Amino acid sequence: MVGRFVMPAVVLLVLGAFVVSERVVQEQHDDGKIHVTYWEKWTGIEFDAIKRVVDEYNRSQDKIHVDLLSVSGIHNKTLMATAAGVPPDVAGLFGPNIAQYFHDRAVIPLDEMCAEAGITRDDYIPIYWDICTFEGTLYALPATPASTALHYNTRLYKEAGFTKPPETIEEMDAYAVKLTKKDSNGDIVQAGFMHQEPGWWNWGWGFVFGGELWDGESKITCDSPDNVRAFTWLQDYSRKYGTSKLQNFKSGFGAFASPQNAFMSEKVAMVLQGGWMGNFISQFKPDLQWAAAPFPYPKDKPELKGRTFADLDILVIPRGAKHPKEAFEFIKFVQSQKGMEMLCLGQTKHSPLAKSSPEFYAKHPNPYIRLFTDMPKNDSVVSPPKIAIWPEYSSELRNAFDEIFIELKDPQTVLARVRTRMQPALDRYLREKALRQGE
Amino acid sequence: MQKKSLKQHILIHTVLIALGLVFLLPLAWMVGTSLKTAVETGADPPTLLPATAQWQNYSDAISYGRDSVGYIPFFVYARNTLLFCILFVAGTVVSNSIVAYSFARLRWKGRDLAFAATLATMMIPFPVIMVPVFSLFVKMDWVGTFRPLWVPAWFGSAFSIFLLRQFFRTIPMELSEAAKLDGCSEWGIYSKVVMPLAKPAVAVVALFAFMAAWNDFLGPLVYLHSQDQFTLSLGLQFYRSQQLSQWHLLMAASTVVIAPVIVLFFFTQRLFIQGITATGLKG
Amino acid sequence: MTFRKTEARNGYLFAMPWFIGFGLFLAYPIIASVYFSFTEYSVLKPPIWVGTENYETLFADEVFWKTLGNTLFFAALYVPLATLLAFGLALLLNSKVRFMAVYRTVFFMPSLVPVVSLVILWMWLFNGEHGLINNALGWVGITGPGWLTDTAWSKPAIVFMSLWGVGNAMVIYLAGLQEVPQQLYEAADLDGATPWQKTKSVTIPLVSPVILFNVVMGIIGSLQIFTQPYVMSEDGSPSRSIYFYSMYLFDNAFKYHKMGYASAMAWIMFLVIFLLTLVALKFAEKRVHYEGG
C-alpha cells in the first residue's frame, strides 16, 4: 500500500527542509584564516566592483579572509545585529547613517588605528573625511563618493541657440523656457529642466540657494528664507508649466537605466545627476550629445558658484565586532590608492582620495571625471546633514516637496510645519541622549 | 443547481466571460510582457503582445546575470520559498490539528473560556505584536535565519484552530469511544481515527497556510538579511532595483512562479471548496 | 473519576502547543507592547519610561491622523465593494454551468500573483500617460486622471488593485453557498420565485454567517493594509495620499527606531479594529441567521 510510505516521506521532507534551512544561514570555514564578515548594501554592478576588491584583498595575503554578503535594509539590520551582539566586522553604510550610529554608540572610533596606519585627513578630499567624523572623532572611512552636476543635452542646446551651460539659476530658468516644447494640445513633449527627474534629491533643493537644514546642534532650520526661496523657485516651475502637464509627461518616462531614460531619450534637456550617469549613457545611448557642468547658482549668491552635493558610502566597524583589527586591515586596503581606484572605477565614480593617478583618469569611462573629482574640493560643497533623525526628517522633506510641487501649497507654511514637526523629534532625541549620558 | 433555461445559461456565461476578461487582463499583460524585449516594455502606445515572442527571456530571468556575482539567484529564492512553505505548512497542520482536537473532542476545565479567548485574538492586529516579537527574536539572535518565519507556526494560530475545531466537532463521538474501548490511546484516536477523516479540512488549512507563507512579504523583509536567504516574494524586488529595471524578466520570473500554483489550484479547487464547506464556517 | 481526569490531562497536553504559542507570541508581546507604548525604546538600549507621552504626541501628530484617515477611507471603500464582488462572483460560480473549474481558477488566479509583480503590473495599467486604463477610457472619450500621480485618485487606484485579489473571500463564499439545501430552492421555484427573489430570501439569509465572517475578516485585514502600497511607494507619495497606518507604524518601528511610539500606534489600531468589529457584530445581531446548534 502506498499510503504506508506517505507519512514517513512527509516527515522526511519536513526534516530535510529544516536541516537545509539551517544550513543556508551557517557559514563554515576551517582554512586556518581569520574570517571577517563584511555586509554591503549594494547589489548589481556596484556589488560586483566591491566583490573584485574583496577578492583582490583575499588573494593579496593569507591571514585574513573577507566574507562579503549583500544585505538588504543594511542600516536597520546592522543596528539590530549590533544590539543583539552579533554584528558583522565591517558594514558598508550610506554616509547619512553615521549620525544615528554615533548616537546609539553602535560603531567604534577609528582614530587610533588610523594614526597607527598613517591615514590622515590630508589623504582625502576634506569633505569626505568630514562626513566620517562626529564631534571630532572619526567613526568611518570612505568607500565610494558621489558628486552631482548639471547634465545637459548639447544637441538640444544647439537647436535652441545655446553654446554654453547656464551660469546662474536665472539663466537656467530662461534656458528651460526655450528648451520646453508643447504639442497642439498644450501637452509637454520636451522639458527644459525637471526637478522630479530623477527625483532622488527632492529634499535637498534648499542647498542650491544656500539653505541649511539644521544648525548642526539643536535647531531645525528647514524654513529659513533660503530654503523657502528654493521651494518657491521649484514651485514656480510647477505653476509655469502646469502641474498635471508635468506629472503626465513624467509618467511617460521609461526606466532609469534604459535607452528610454528621460535624459537619454532627449525628453528632458537638463537634469541634476551624479558622476555615474556618464557610464549609463555610454552603455545605453552612446551617441547622445551631452556635457556636464557645475549646477547653476543664484545670481545674488556668487559664493555658491560651483556648489556640488557630495555624498559618500562609508565603511564602519560596528561595536562588538569579533575581529576589529582584521576588519581594519581590510578597510586599510580599500583606502590604498590601488584598492580605492579599483573600487571607484568599478562603480564608475570618482575617488575620495586627495590625489588620483593618471591611469585612473585615463581608464575612467566618464569624460567629465575631472569635473566630478574637483567640484567636491570647492569650499561651497555640501553633504547631507549629520542629524540623528535623518530618516524621519528626509521623509518629511520629500513629502514637503510633493505638497509644494504637486498640491501647490504655500512653501513657507509647509516648511514651517515640517520644522514644528521635526523640532520636537530632535528635542526628544537630544533629551534621550542626555538622559543616557547621565546614567 | 436549479434547472436553468438556455437564456439563463447564456447570460451567466456572458457575465462570467466579461468579468473573467477583466480579471485576466493584468495576467495577460504579465505574460505578454514576459515575452517582450526590454525596449518594447517601454513602448508608447503600449502593446499587449510583442512583435516576436522572446522565449529566451525565461531562461534569462531564472539565470539572470549568472556570470556576475550580483546576479539574481532565482533558484535560490525558489528553494528558500519552498523551505519556508514546507516548514510553515507542516507546523500549521500539526500544531493546529492537535490543539483543535483538544478543543473539539476533549473535556477540560476552562476549555470554553480558552476557546473564546482564542477567537478574540483574531482581532489583534499584527503590528501590536510585531515589535515585541521582533525584539524577542533579536535577543534570541534569530534575526537573519529562517526561524522567526516558521517556528511560530508550530505553536498554533487562532484561525486554523477555529476551522479545524469546527470540523472535528462534526465527526461522531461514537467513533472515538469505540476506539477507546479497543484500547486506543488519545494520540491513537487523534492520528488514526480523526485525522484520516479530516483530510478535506486539513487540506484547506494547509492551503491557507501555504498562501500565507507564499505571499508573506513583511516577515522576510524584517527578518532575512541576505540575497541567499530571500524568498521569491521579496527577491523579485531585485528585478526592479533603482538602476536596473528588467520588467520583461520580472514578468517572466513571475509567470514561472505562479504557473505551478495555478495548475495546482485548477485541479484541486473542488476539493478545497468542499473542505471549507465541511469545516462549517457557518458556526 | 479517573476517566475524566485522564481526559482533562490529555486535553491540556494536546492544547499545550497553543498555550506556549499564545504565551510566547501573543500574551507576552501584548503585555510587552503595552509597556513599550509608555516608553522610549529603540531596541538597542533598555526602554525609558515616559508615561503617556507617546499617546499625547500621537494625538497631536498630523501624520498619524492622515494615515488613520487614509486607512479608514480605504477600508470604507474596499470592504463593501469586495463583499459585493466576492459574493456576486461566488453566486455566479455556484451555478451549474460548464467550464466551472476554469472560471473558478480564473477568478482565483490573481491572489497567487507575487505582490511585487502585481504592483508593477498595476502601475503600468494605471499609468496616466500611456497606461491601458486611460487608453481604454480614451476610446470612449473620457480623459482619465493620472491615477497614481493625483492625490485624489491614488487611493481609489489602490482599492481597485486590491479588488483584483478577492479570490480568497470568493472561495469561502462558494463553500458557504454549497451548504444551502437544494430543497429550499425547489420550494421557491414552486412558488414561482425569480432568481433575484431566491437570492434575497433564501441564499442571503442562509449564508449570512459566512458574510459576517468575511466582513469581519475584511475589516481586520483592510485596516492593516501594508504590502501593496509599500511596494508601490515607501513614502506613500504623492503627498502621503497612499501612506497607510501600518506603513507609518512600520517606519516608526524599523526606520526611525521609535518602538515605543510604534507600540502606542498599534494599540490605537487595536482599539479601532475592536470598535468596528463590535459595530459589525451589533449590526449583524438581528440580521444573521444561525441554524440551531
Side-chain angles (χ1 to χ4, degrees):
Chain A
M1 213 179 96
V2 188
R4 276 175 47 203
F5 300 106
V6 172
M7 264 328 275
V10 169
V11 170
L12 267 181
L13 181 73
V14 173
L15 271 178
F18 171 70
V19 171
V20 178
S21 82
E22 290 296 305
R23 289 203 46 178
V24 168
V25 295
Q26 255 175 31
E27 331 133 47
Q28 296 149 324
H29 23 68
D30 35 16
D31 51 9
K33 292 183 187 177
I34 291 176
H35 280 253
V36 166
T37 43
Y38 169 21
W39 288 2
E40 184 46 62
K41 61 201 158 301
W42 286 108
T43 57
I45 62 153
E46 286 86 356
F47 185 83
D48 292 351
I50 294 163
K51 177 73 183 163
R52 283 197 295 274
V53 174
V54 167
D55 288 345
E56 179 70 30
Y57 177 70
N58 286 340
R59 268 197 304 273
S60 72
Q61 41 73 49
D62 54 8
K63 297 205 170 55
I64 301 166
H65 191 275
V66 176
D67 295 316
L68 174 64
L69 199 64
S70 169
V71 171
S72 71
I74 192 155
H75 168 61
N76 208 14
K77 299 268 172 66
T78 308
L79 263 183
M80 293 306 147
T82 307
V86 285
D89 297 303
V90 182
L93 307 172
F94 291 112
N97 296 153
I98 188 84
Q100 195 170 22
Y101 277 74
F102 164 72
H103 279 297
D104 285 335
R105 284 182 250 165
V107 283
I108 64 169
L110 303 178
D111 296 298
E112 275 176 33
M113 287 193 274
C114 276
E116 229 169 85
I119 296 175
T120 66
R121 187 169 186 264
D122 296 340
D123 299 330
Y124 297 88
I125 297 173
I127 182 79
Y128 295 128
W129 180 272
D130 295 342
I131 289 177
C132 298
T133 45
F134 232 94
E135 296 177 7
T137 306
L138 188 77
Y139 285 96
L141 278 168
T144 51
S147 59
T148 54
L150 180 76
H151 288 61
Y152 59 97
N153 185 314
T154 47
R155 195 184 69 77
L156 296 178
Y157 263 40
K158 225 173 273 165
E159 228 177 67
F162 301 131
T163 50
K164 60 179 189 54
E167 267 293 299
T168 63
I169 292 287
E170 290 76 6
E171 268 178 52
M172 186 177 86
D173 294 346
Y175 273 42
V177 171
K178 271 194 97 175
L179 287 164
T180 302
K181 289 183 191 159
K182 295 183 174 187
D183 66 7
S184 52
N185 295 329
D187 290 335
I188 299 171
V189 290
Q190 178 188 312
F193 174 74
M194 274 178 85
H195 294 86
Q196 321 103 291
E197 176 56 32
W200 298 336
W201 301 283
N202 280 351
W203 50 268
W205 291 107
F207 293 139
V208 175
F209 288 80
E212 292 290 343
L213 293 171
W214 73 317
D215 68 353
E217 276 168 20
S218 62
K219 284 217 163 44
I220 299 286
T221 58
C222 62
D223 59 343
S224 71
D226 289 332
N227 283 316
V228 172
R229 189 177 162 201
F231 278 85
T232 311
W233 165 67
L234 62 88
Q235 189 179 51
D236 284 343
Y237 271 72
S238 185
R239 290 188 197 278
K240 203 180 333 177
Y241 300 105
T243 313
S244 60
K245 295 283 182 207
L246 283 169
Q247 291 288 90
N248 270 341
F249 184 51
K250 181 178 157 50
S251 65
F253 295 169
F256 174 76
S258 77
Q260 287 82 42
N261 173 294
F263 183 66
M264 295 187 223
S265 58
E266 307 199 313
K267 282 184 168 168
V268 182
M270 298 182 277
V271 290
L272 177 64
Q273 266 295 356
W276 53 81
M277 191 67 183
N279 177 46
F280 285 111
I281 295 174
S282 56
Q283 206 177 325
F284 294 108
K285 203 70 183 285
D287 55 341
L288 187 78
Q289 299 172 30
W290 68 284
F295 200 77
Y297 55 92
K299 207 168 160 186
D300 57 340
K301 294 209 168 186
E303 70 273 19
L304 296 178
K305 185 176 169 158
R307 178 166 250 201
T308 189
F309 179 74
D311 207 345
L312 182 69
D313 291 351
I314 52 174
L315 297 173
V316 300
I317 304 177
R319 190 172 293 279
K322 278 184 223 82
H323 309 293
K325 283 251 157 9
E326 290 75 11
F328 189 78
E329 283 304 309
F330 168 68
I331 295 179
K332 200 168 84 184
F333 175 77
V334 179
Q335 305 307 310
S336 69
Q337 182 125 5
K338 181 184 166 204
M340 188 57 88
E341 292 192 351
M342 189 175 168
L343 180 65
C344 295
L345 257 180
Q347 296 195 0
T348 66
K349 290 169 180 164
H350 70 270
S351 163
L353 298 174
K355 291 190 191 72
S356 295
S357 68
E359 301 85 63
F360 179 72
Y361 287 126
K363 271 195 237 159
H364 206 287
N366 192 326
Y368 294 91
I369 183 63
R370 281 176 195 274
L371 172 75
F372 288 103
T373 315
D374 290 341
M375 279 189 305
K377 296 176 182 165
N378 212 317
D379 283 341
S380 61
V381 63
V382 281
S383 57
K386 293 192 279 183
I387 187 169
I389 57 166
W390 182 239
E392 208 177 342
Y393 194 12
S394 57
S395 140
E396 207 63 39
L397 286 166
R398 283 195 299 273
N399 180 60
F401 177 92
D402 275 4
E403 291 192 9
I404 291 167
F405 195 89
I406 300 173
E407 298 186 84
L408 300 178
K409 289 189 182 163
D410 175 44
Q412 173 76 54
T413 320
V414 172
L415 291 171
R417 228 184 47 225
V418 172
R419 178 174 53 75
T420 51
R421 273 180 60 70
M422 286 301 104
Q423 187 64 54
L426 181 61
D427 291 345
R428 270 167 76 124
Y429 210 94
L430 294 173
R431 186 194 63 187
E432 198 225 320
K433 193 183 157 202
L435 268 175
R436 302 262 184 217
Q437 273 165 0
E439 270 168 13
Chain B
M1 193 152 284
Q2 307 103 290
K3 267 184 228 138
K4 288 198 173 58
S5 66
L6 184 65
K7 221 167 80 184
Q8 272 176 326
H9 268 283
I10 292 173
L11 185 73
I12 288 172
H13 276 294
T14 317
V15 175
L16 281 176
I17 288 172
L19 276 172
L21 284 178
V22 174
F23 266 71
L24 271 184
L25 187 78
L27 287 171
W29 200 263
M30 180 172 97
V31 177
T33 305
S34 75
L35 294 171
K36 288 177 186 170
T37 62
V39 178
E40 276 175 311
T41 58
D44 186 22
T47 50
L48 178 60
L49 294 172
T52 26
Q54 310 289 321
W55 293 105
Q56 77 277 16
N57 282 354
Y58 282 83
S59 56
D60 288 355
I62 55 178
S63 62
Y64 177 72
R66 161 86 29 100
D67 309 324
S68 65
V69 191
Y71 82 112
I72 301 171
F74 181 86
F75 287 109
V76 172
Y77 297 159
R79 177 201 64 195
N80 294 341
T81 307
L82 215 60
L83 293 176
F84 175 27
C85 285
I86 290 174
L87 291 169
F88 190 86
V89 171
T92 304
V93 168
V94 171
S95 66
N96 290 303
S97 60
I98 294 175
V99 175
Y101 180 85
S102 170
F103 276 123
R105 306 181 71 85
L106 297 173
R107 277 158 300 176
W108 40 277
K109 220 172 137 192
R111 183 188 73 172
D112 294 337
L113 187 70
F115 185 66
T118 301
L119 288 187
T121 61
M122 277 203 257
M123 267 195 310
I124 304 220
F126 177 65
V128 166
I129 57 169
M130 183 168 77
V131 170
V133 168
F134 178 79
S135 69
L136 184 74
F137 286 136
V138 166
K139 285 192 193 102
M140 295 165 87
D141 188 19
W142 278 16
V143 176
T145 73
F146 288 107
R147 282 172 241 156
L149 302 180
W150 63 265
V151 169
W154 287 80
F155 292 95
S157 78
F159 182 64
S160 309
I161 293 174
F162 169 67
L163 278 182
L164 288 170
R165 171 192 178 264
Q166 298 303 93
F167 185 83
F168 287 165
R169 273 164 37 121
T170 63
I171 299 172
M173 280 312 273
E174 292 80 36
L175 290 177
S176 298
E177 275 147 29
K180 210 170 269 175
L181 287 180
D182 288 346
C184 212
S185 68
E186 208 63 64
W187 179 259
I189 301 172
Y190 155 79
S191 59
K192 297 213 179 71
V193 179
V194 172
M195 280 303 270
L197 288 170
K199 271 180 201 146
V202 168
V204 170
V205 167
L207 173 77
F208 282 135
F210 174 79
M211 299 261 305
W214 184 255
N215 286 324
D216 189 8
F217 182 84
L218 191 54
L221 179 70
V222 170
Y223 290 115
L224 299 181
H225 277 165
S226 71
Q227 285 244 35
D228 300 342
Q229 303 165 351
F230 284 168
T231 56
L232 284 166
S233 68
L234 189 61
L236 286 178
Q237 282 264 62
F238 285 101
Y239 289 92
R240 63 154 219 175
S241 67
Q242 200 165 40
Q243 315 214 317
L244 220 67
S245 298
Q246 305 283 358
W247 308 125
H248 54 308
L249 299 186
L250 169 66
M251 293 306 152
S254 307
T255 310
V256 174
V257 169
I258 68 167
V261 197
I262 287 175
V263 173
L264 189 75
F265 181 79
F266 178 81
F267 287 110
T268 53
Q269 48 90 18
R270 190 185 298 269
L271 180 76
F272 285 127
I273 289 165
Q274 280 167 356
I276 305 174
T277 312
T279 58
L281 263 182
K282 293 181 63 182
Chain C
M1 258 172 35
T2 47
F3 227 57
R4 285 304 282 274
K5 258 194 192 147
T6 328
E7 187 175 335
R9 198 202 62 204
N10 282 333
Y12 292 122
L13 219 55
F14 274 59
M16 199 45 78
W18 175 235
F19 289 155
I20 296 172
F22 185 88
L24 214 55
F25 302 118
L26 279 166
Y28 157 72
I30 286 168
I31 295 163
S33 151
V34 173
Y35 169 64
F36 288 160
S37 78
F38 293 103
T39 65
E40 183 138 344
Y41 178 45
S42 71
V43 180
L44 283 146
K45 294 169 200 148
I48 300 178
W49 184 264
V50 293
T52 56
E53 191 184 285
N54 285 327
Y55 290 94
E56 286 160 33
T57 315
L58 255 187
F59 289 122
D61 180 350
E62 56 177 283
V63 180
F64 161 77
W65 290 109
K66 172 134 206 171
T67 53
L68 182 62
N70 283 345
T71 307
L72 289 175
F73 179 99
F74 172 81
L77 216 56
Y78 174 77
V79 174
L81 285 176
T83 306
L84 278 177
L85 184 64
F87 187 62
L89 281 174
L91 276 180
L92 283 169
L93 291 178
N94 195 38
S95 39
K96 276 224 169 79
V97 293
R98 296 184 60 177
F99 310 120
M100 210 28 86
V102 178
Y103 288 131
R104 284 175 182 175
T105 309
V106 163
F107 291 111
F108 190 72
M109 259 188 322
S111 328
L112 302 169
V113 177
V115 163
V116 177
S117 328
L118 177 140
V119 167
I120 285 164
L121 278 170
W122 283 97
M123 280 166 85
W124 277 333
L125 297 173
F126 279 127
N127 190 304
E129 184 79 346
H130 54 214
L132 196 72
I133 292 180
N134 278 0
N135 267 329
L137 288 174
W139 299 330
V140 290
I142 301 169
T143 311
W147 290 95
L148 298 173
T149 52
D150 188 328
T151 50
W153 288 101
S154 52
K155 271 190 287 287
I158 299 269
V159 172
F160 207 78
M161 184 172 103
S162 307
L163 282 178
W164 197 49
V166 294
N168 243 332
M170 181 194 79
V171 170
I172 296 181
Y173 281 125
L174 255 178
L177 290 173
Q178 311 252 304
E179 264 197 292
V180 178
Q182 261 324 256
Q183 308 89 287
L184 290 178
Y185 289 115
E186 281 155 20
D189 277 337
L190 287 180
D191 293 342
T194 64
W196 167 240
Q197 282 169 328
K198 277 187 281 183
T199 305
K200 195 175 149 232
S201 46
V202 178
T203 315
I204 292 184
L206 280 171
V207 294
S208 53
V210 183
I211 299 179
L212 175 66
F213 176 82
N214 264 341
V215 166
V216 169
M217 293 316 263
I219 291 173
I220 296 174
S222 62
L223 290 175
Q224 297 182 57
I225 179 169
F226 174 81
T227 309
Q228 286 127 319
Y230 180 83
V231 172
M232 196 170 260
S233 156
E234 285 187 30
D235 283 331
S237 67
S239 291
R240 290 193 176 128
S241 58
I242 50 170
Y243 198 39
F244 292 100
Y245 199 88
S246 289
M247 294 162 77
Y248 188 44
L249 201 157
F250 177 88
D251 285 348
N252 271 311
F254 296 109
K255 277 195 187 144
Y256 315 152
H257 299 282
K258 299 202 279 191
M259 298 286 183
Y261 199 62
S263 299
M265 279 190 76
W267 277 99
I268 307 265
M269 179 189 240
F270 171 72
L271 269 184
V272 172
I273 288 179
F274 182 71
L275 285 177
L276 286 175
T277 308
L278 270 193
V279 170
L281 292 178
K282 199 88 198 151
F283 179 83
E285 216 166 59
K286 300 213 178 69
R287 293 173 180 82
V288 170
H289 299 247
Y290 289 96
E291 287 162 271

mmCIF file of all heavy atoms in Angstrom, chain C residues 4-21:
data_model
loop_
_atom_site.group_PDB
_atom_site.id
_atom_site.type_symbol
_atom_site.label_atom_id
_atom_site.label_comp_id
_atom_site.label_asym_id
_atom_site.label_seq_id
_atom_site.Cartn_x
_atom_site.Cartn_y
_atom_site.Cartn_z
ATOM 1 N N ARG C 4 -12.368 10.925 33.616
ATOM 2 C CA ARG C 4 -12.430 12.357 33.330
ATOM 3 C C ARG C 4 -11.077 13.012 33.519
ATOM 4 O O ARG C 4 -10.673 13.879 32.764
ATOM 5 C CB ARG C 4 -13.457 13.027 34.257
ATOM 6 C CG ARG C 4 -14.892 12.771 33.884
ATOM 7 C CD ARG C 4 -15.181 13.200 32.462
ATOM 8 N NE ARG C 4 -15.347 14.624 32.302
ATOM 9 C CZ ARG C 4 -16.500 15.252 32.474
ATOM 10 N NH1 ARG C 4 -17.566 14.600 32.841
ATOM 11 N NH2 ARG C 4 -16.588 16.536 32.273
ATOM 12 N N LYS C 5 -10.360 12.540 34.573
ATOM 13 C CA LYS C 5 -9.075 13.146 34.873
ATOM 14 C C LYS C 5 -8.084 12.927 33.742
ATOM 15 O O LYS C 5 -7.376 13.841 33.317
ATOM 16 C CB LYS C 5 -8.519 12.568 36.182
ATOM 17 C CG LYS C 5 -8.719 13.509 37.351
ATOM 18 C CD LYS C 5 -7.876 13.055 38.519
ATOM 19 C CE LYS C 5 -8.303 13.801 39.772
ATOM 20 N NZ LYS C 5 -8.152 12.968 40.965
ATOM 21 N N THR C 6 -8.062 11.692 33.239
ATOM 22 C CA THR C 6 -7.157 11.401 32.129
ATOM 23 C C THR C 6 -7.508 12.277 30.939
ATOM 24 O O THR C 6 -6.643 12.830 30.276
ATOM 25 C CB THR C 6 -7.288 9.921 31.679
ATOM 26 O OG1 THR C 6 -7.608 9.161 32.816
ATOM 27 C CG2 THR C 6 -6.035 9.448 31.012
ATOM 28 N N GLU C 7 -8.818 12.384 30.704
ATOM 29 C CA GLU C 7 -9.238 13.168 29.540
ATOM 30 C C GLU C 7 -8.803 14.614 29.687
ATOM 31 O O GLU C 7 -8.288 15.214 28.750
ATOM 32 C CB GLU C 7 -10.760 13.084 29.391
ATOM 33 C CG GLU C 7 -11.222 13.744 28.114
ATOM 34 C CD GLU C 7 -12.713 13.582 27.876
ATOM 35 O OE1 GLU C 7 -13.293 12.610 28.404
ATOM 36 O OE2 GLU C 7 -13.274 14.421 27.171
ATOM 37 N N ALA C 8 -8.987 15.145 30.918
ATOM 38 C CA ALA C 8 -8.589 16.535 31.138
ATOM 39 C C ALA C 8 -7.087 16.684 30.974
ATOM 40 O O ALA C 8 -6.610 17.634 30.350
ATOM 41 C CB ALA C 8 -9.028 16.980 32.529
ATOM 42 N N ARG C 9 -6.346 15.696 31.492
ATOM 43 C CA ARG C 9 -4.887 15.786 31.371
ATOM 44 C C ARG C 9 -4.487 15.797 29.902
ATOM 45 O O ARG C 9 -3.682 16.603 29.455
ATOM 46 C CB ARG C 9 -4.242 14.595 32.083
ATOM 47 C CG ARG C 9 -2.770 14.802 32.386
ATOM 48 C CD ARG C 9 -2.061 13.486 32.567
ATOM 49 N NE ARG C 9 -2.128 12.682 31.337
ATOM 50 C CZ ARG C 9 -2.028 11.358 31.311
ATOM 51 N NH1 ARG C 9 -1.909 10.685 32.433
ATOM 52 N NH2 ARG C 9 -2.083 10.710 30.166
ATOM 53 N N ASN C 10 -5.097 14.876 29.148
ATOM 54 C CA ASN C 10 -4.815 14.848 27.715
ATOM 55 C C ASN C 10 -5.217 16.154 27.039
ATOM 56 O O ASN C 10 -4.540 16.636 26.131
ATOM 57 C CB ASN C 10 -5.553 13.679 27.040
ATOM 58 C CG ASN C 10 -4.838 12.372 27.298
ATOM 59 O OD1 ASN C 10 -3.626 12.357 27.509
ATOM 60 N ND2 ASN C 10 -5.608 11.279 27.316
ATOM 61 N N GLY C 11 -6.347 16.689 27.492
ATOM 62 C CA GLY C 11 -6.826 17.953 26.916
ATOM 63 C C GLY C 11 -5.793 19.043 27.064
ATOM 64 O O GLY C 11 -5.445 19.721 26.099
ATOM 65 N N TYR C 12 -5.256 19.176 28.280
ATOM 66 C CA TYR C 12 -4.233 20.205 28.497
ATOM 67 C C TYR C 12 -2.987 19.910 27.677
ATOM 68 O O TYR C 12 -2.385 20.795 27.078
ATOM 69 C CB TYR C 12 -3.871 20.304 29.979
ATOM 70 C CG TYR C 12 -4.985 20.841 30.831
ATOM 71 C CD1 TYR C 12 -5.496 20.117 31.903
ATOM 72 C CD2 TYR C 12 -5.554 22.089 30.546
ATOM 73 C CE1 TYR C 12 -6.537 20.605 32.677
ATOM 74 C CE2 TYR C 12 -6.595 22.583 31.321
ATOM 75 C CZ TYR C 12 -7.084 21.830 32.386
ATOM 76 O OH TYR C 12 -8.105 22.332 33.128
ATOM 77 N N LEU C 13 -2.648 18.628 27.635
ATOM 78 C CA LEU C 13 -1.437 18.222 26.921
ATOM 79 C C LEU C 13 -1.556 18.559 25.429
ATOM 80 O O LEU C 13 -0.635 19.101 24.815
ATOM 81 C CB LEU C 13 -1.256 16.707 27.097
ATOM 82 C CG LEU C 13 0.174 16.207 27.294
ATOM 83 C CD1 LEU C 13 0.810 16.932 28.479
ATOM 84 C CD2 LEU C 13 0.166 14.714 27.513
ATOM 85 N N PHE C 14 -2.734 18.238 24.862
ATOM 86 C CA PHE C 14 -2.927 18.488 23.423
ATOM 87 C C PHE C 14 -2.973 19.982 23.128
ATOM 88 O O PHE C 14 -2.573 20.414 22.061
ATOM 89 C CB PHE C 14 -4.218 17.811 22.932
ATOM 90 C CG PHE C 14 -4.025 16.374 22.549
ATOM 91 C CD1 PHE C 14 -3.552 15.454 23.469
ATOM 92 C CD2 PHE C 14 -4.318 15.944 21.258
ATOM 93 C CE1 PHE C 14 -3.375 14.128 23.124
ATOM 94 C CE2 PHE C 14 -4.129 14.618 20.896
ATOM 95 C CZ PHE C 14 -3.668 13.701 21.830
ATOM 96 N N ALA C 15 -3.502 20.743 24.075
ATOM 97 C CA ALA C 15 -3.619 22.177 23.823
ATOM 98 C C ALA C 15 -2.311 22.906 24.134
ATOM 99 O O ALA C 15 -2.188 24.096 23.901
ATOM 100 C CB ALA C 15 -4.756 22.767 24.651
ATOM 101 N N MET C 16 -1.330 22.128 24.652
ATOM 102 C CA MET C 16 -0.088 22.751 25.113
ATOM 103 C C MET C 16 0.625 23.601 24.052
ATOM 104 O O MET C 16 1.048 24.713 24.355
ATOM 105 C CB MET C 16 0.848 21.663 25.660
ATOM 106 C CG MET C 16 1.953 22.171 26.563
ATOM 107 S SD MET C 16 1.396 23.359 27.792
ATOM 108 C CE MET C 16 0.639 22.268 29.001
ATOM 109 N N PRO C 17 0.760 23.108 22.817
ATOM 110 C CA PRO C 17 1.461 23.948 21.829
ATOM 111 C C PRO C 17 0.838 25.345 21.746
ATOM 112 O O PRO C 17 1.550 26.333 21.693
ATOM 113 C CB PRO C 17 1.260 23.197 20.511
ATOM 114 C CG PRO C 17 0.987 21.804 20.888
ATOM 115 C CD PRO C 17 0.327 21.834 22.237
ATOM 116 N N TRP C 18 -0.473 25.387 21.774
ATOM 117 C CA TRP C 18 -1.167 26.662 21.664
ATOM 118 C C TRP C 18 -0.960 27.498 22.922
ATOM 119 O O TRP C 18 -0.741 28.705 22.834
ATOM 120 C CB TRP C 18 -2.651 26.428 21.398
ATOM 121 C CG TRP C 18 -3.479 27.681 21.395
ATOM 122 C CD1 TRP C 18 -4.569 27.929 22.149
ATOM 123 C CD2 TRP C 18 -3.307 28.845 20.592
ATOM 124 N NE1 TRP C 18 -5.083 29.161 21.882
ATOM 125 C CE2 TRP C 18 -4.314 29.753 20.921
ATOM 126 C CE3 TRP C 18 -2.363 29.222 19.620
ATOM 127 C CZ2 TRP C 18 -4.447 31.002 20.337
ATOM 128 C CZ3 TRP C 18 -2.475 30.466 19.032
ATOM 129 C CH2 TRP C 18 -3.520 31.337 19.390
ATOM 130 N N PHE C 19 -0.966 26.829 24.097
ATOM 131 C CA PHE C 19 -0.719 27.599 25.320
ATOM 132 C C PHE C 19 0.659 28.257 25.254
ATOM 133 O O PHE C 19 0.819 29.428 25.576
ATOM 134 C CB PHE C 19 -0.803 26.703 26.565
ATOM 135 C CG PHE C 19 -2.200 26.266 26.889
ATOM 136 C CD1 PHE C 19 -2.432 25.098 27.615
ATOM 137 C CD2 PHE C 19 -3.285 27.019 26.468
ATOM 138 C CE1 PHE C 19 -3.733 24.696 27.914
ATOM 139 C CE2 PHE C 19 -4.581 26.633 26.771
ATOM 140 C CZ PHE C 19 -4.801 25.461 27.477
ATOM 141 N N ILE C 20 1.643 27.472 24.804
ATOM 142 C CA ILE C 20 3.001 28.029 24.701
ATOM 143 C C ILE C 20 3.028 29.141 23.660
ATOM 144 O O ILE C 20 3.535 30.238 23.891
ATOM 145 C CB ILE C 20 4.014 26.921 24.323
ATOM 146 C CG1 ILE C 20 4.073 25.873 25.438
ATOM 147 C CG2 ILE C 20 5.386 27.521 24.073
ATOM 148 C CD1 ILE C 20 4.883 24.650 25.080
ATOM 149 N N GLY C 21 2.438 28.841 22.478
ATOM 150 C CA GLY C 21 2.417 29.838 21.401
ATOM 151 C C GLY C 21 1.682 31.086 21.837
ATOM 152 O O GLY C 21 2.135 32.209 21.603
#
